[in-house]
Amino acid sequence: MTRKVTKAVIPAAGLGTRFLPETKALPKEMLPIVDTPTIQFIVEEAKQAGIKDIVIVIGKGKRSIEDHFDSNPELEMNLEERHKNEILETIRKTNDMNIYFIRQSHPRGLGDAIYTARSFISNEPFVVMLGDDVMQDKVPLTKQLMESYQQTGASTLAVKKVAHKDISKYGVIDPSEEVRPGLFNVKKFVEKPTPEKAPSDLAIIGRYLLTPEIFGILEHAKPDKTGEIQLTSAIDTLNQTQRVFAHEFKGERFDTGNKLSWLKTNIIFGLRHPEISDGLRSYLKDLGAQLTEEDKKK
């Protein structure tokens, strides 16, 4: 019998250097997609998947994340009195979640951030959800991984095909066989290979379902040349003693990890936002026409 997955780890201790100077004082995870902090999309996905307990691994200067997920009685009372029920419902979305916080004292990579949560997880399977990736699908990706685990009892990573030229930005799988549609046995996990050496175009994206045995591997893992403990390397070691599957995600993935991709995500979500979609669409059409005229003059 496989144990039910009820816990998630959300690493949010990174320095956010790609977004400086904005992230000097504001956590990268609090950067908004239209009007909602990126990390709230991650927490809402966990809730939709049936996760009961979340631990967010934070670092220095991340207090605003804690404040965001805390209740605000004064604000809620003000909205109630003004009958702003729709906004009130929005800010209460995650009030009923059990959200805890653990401090990662030094930024030593994703593997170390996950290891920091070992006491919270104990001896249970758990989900890791990275804040740079916002996923959209009829069935939340986290739920898809949980359903796969209930059938296999094995660790399962989410992967998605990416452009071959971009493969060096990701951890990549070397698949051996497709055991059922969209689920792969994996020979090897490779951290950020060059396009010439990449075993496939199936990149590991920001959702993992891991068995607790990963903590024993992370405990003895050595830092790489950048001083970080790499989760992909630990998973490759885990795969040598127990099966680790890769689940291909067919839904929409929105990357918020760099300035350009974050801006693109905001535009797409803005076009879907009932409050601003019409105005944004009109503006983009006018801007497109203006840019076309400017290009003709070059």
Side-chain angles (χ1 to χ4, degrees), residues 233-246:
S233 300
I235 292 170
D236 190 51
T237 301
L238 179 67
N239 192 41
Q240 295 168 23
T241 57
Q242 60 177 246
R243 293 184 304 171
V244 178
F245 290 105

Side-chain angles (χ1 to χ4, degrees), residues 66-135:
E66 296 184 56
D67 291 340
H68 178 73
F69 288 110
D70 197 1
S71 59
N72 189 330
E74 185 177 283
L75 174 60
E76 292 175 24
M77 184 179 298
N78 179 275
L79 293 172
E80 279 185 342
E81 290 172 351
R82 296 164 60 199
H83 304 290
K84 301 283 187 179
N85 297 326
E86 190 172 337
I87 301 175
L88 180 62
E89 181 62 27
T90 298
I91 68 168
R92 283 177 169 172
K93 268 186 179 181
T94 55
N95 278 12
D96 59 345
M97 296 289 291
N98 297 322
I99 301 177
Y100 308 89
F101 296 88
I102 295 176
R103 177 72 69 94
Q104 184 187 26
S105 56
H106 299 284
R108 297 183 61 219
L110 179 57
D112 182 69
I114 303 307
Y115 185 69
T116 303
R118 65 194 181 281
S119 295
F120 175 82
I121 297 300
S122 188
N123 194 36
E124 299 180 37
F126 64 102
V127 174
V128 175
M129 308 176 72
L130 304 191
D132 283 348
D133 288 326
V134 175
M135 311 297 186

Side-chain angles (χ1 to χ4, degrees), residues 183-198:
L183 190 69
F184 296 88
N185 268 324
V186 181
K187 289 187 284 187
K188 191 174 183 182
F189 298 88
V190 184
E191 180 66 23
K192 296 181 179 178
T194 62
E196 298 77 26
K197 294 184 178 179

Side-chain angles (χ1 to χ4, degrees), residues 194-218:
T194 62
E196 298 77 26
K197 294 184 178 179
S200 75
D201 289 335
L202 288 169
I204 301 169
I205 55 177
R207 302 292 184 273
Y208 310 73
L209 196 153
L210 299 172
T211 55
E213 286 79 10
I214 194 70
F215 292 120
I217 296 169
L218 289 171

Side-chain angles (χ1 to χ4, degrees), residues 160-288:
K160 191 172 181 65
K161 285 188 178 179
V162 300
H164 190 69
K165 63 183 177 62
D166 296 328
I167 204 69
S168 61
K169 301 175 184 176
Y170 300 90
V172 180
I173 69 164
D174 183 1
S176 62
E177 62 176 324
E178 191 170 8
V179 295
R180 67 169 186 262
L183 190 69
F184 296 88
N185 268 324
V186 181
K187 289 187 284 187
K188 191 174 183 182
F189 298 88
V190 184
E191 180 66 23
K192 296 181 179 178
T194 62
E196 298 77 26
K197 294 184 178 179
S200 75
D201 289 335
L202 288 169
I204 301 169
I205 55 177
R207 302 292 184 273
Y208 310 73
L209 196 153
L210 299 172
T211 55
E213 286 79 10
I214 194 70
F215 292 120
I217 296 169
L218 289 171
E219 182 180 7
H220 301 289
K222 296 189 180 196
D224 64 6
K225 60 185 179 181
T226 68
E228 295 189 345
I229 305 294
Q230 295 294 343
L231 181 60
T232 302
S233 300
I235 292 170
D236 190 51
T237 301
L238 179 67
N239 192 41
Q240 295 168 23
T241 57
Q242 60 177 246
R243 293 184 304 171
V244 178
F245 290 105
H247 168 81
E248 186 177 2
F249 180 53
K250 299 294 182 70
E252 293 181 293
R253 169 182 174 259
F254 300 94
D255 181 5
T256 64
N258 63 72
K259 294 170 188 174
L260 180 58
S261 64
W262 175 74
L263 284 170
K264 289 179 178 178
T265 298
N266 267 277
I267 290 170
I268 294 170
F269 276 70
L271 289 170
R272 297 175 181 179
H273 195 290
E275 187 178 334
I276 66 170
S277 59
D278 290 343
L280 179 59
R281 185 177 298 276
S282 177
Y283 168 74
L284 291 173
K285 286 180 179 178
D286 291 343
L287 180 61

Side-chain angles (χ1 to χ4, degrees), residues 3-4 18 26 30 46 50-51 60 65 143 147 166 168 183 185 219 224 262 268 284 291:
R3 297 189 66 174
K4 189 174 181 181
R18 291 180 184 177
L26 179 72
M30 290 298 293
I51 293 293
K60 185 178 180 181
I65 298 177
K143 182 68 172 177
E147 290 174 347
D166 296 328
S168 61
L183 190 69
N185 268 324
E219 182 180 7
D224 64 6
W262 175 74
I268 294 170
L284 291 173
L291 292 174

Side-chain angles (χ1 to χ4, degrees), residues 25-83:
L26 179 72
K28 179 187 69 172
E29 297 80 11
M30 290 298 293
L31 291 174
I33 299 176
V34 185
D35 55 7
T36 303
T38 303
I39 194 169
Q40 182 162 329
F41 286 96
I42 313 304
V43 171
E44 288 180 12
E45 180 188 329
K47 181 178 180 179
Q48 291 163 6
I51 293 293
K52 303 297 183 185
D53 299 294
I54 295 173
V55 63
I56 301 178
V57 182
I58 59 173
K60 185 178 180 181
K62 304 277 187 168
R63 183 59 187 270
S64 60
I65 298 177
E66 296 184 56
D67 291 340
H68 178 73
F69 288 110
D70 197 1
S71 59
N72 189 330
E74 185 177 283
L75 174 60
E76 292 175 24
M77 184 179 298
N78 179 275
L79 293 172
E80 279 185 342
E81 290 172 351
R82 296 164 60 199
H83 304 290

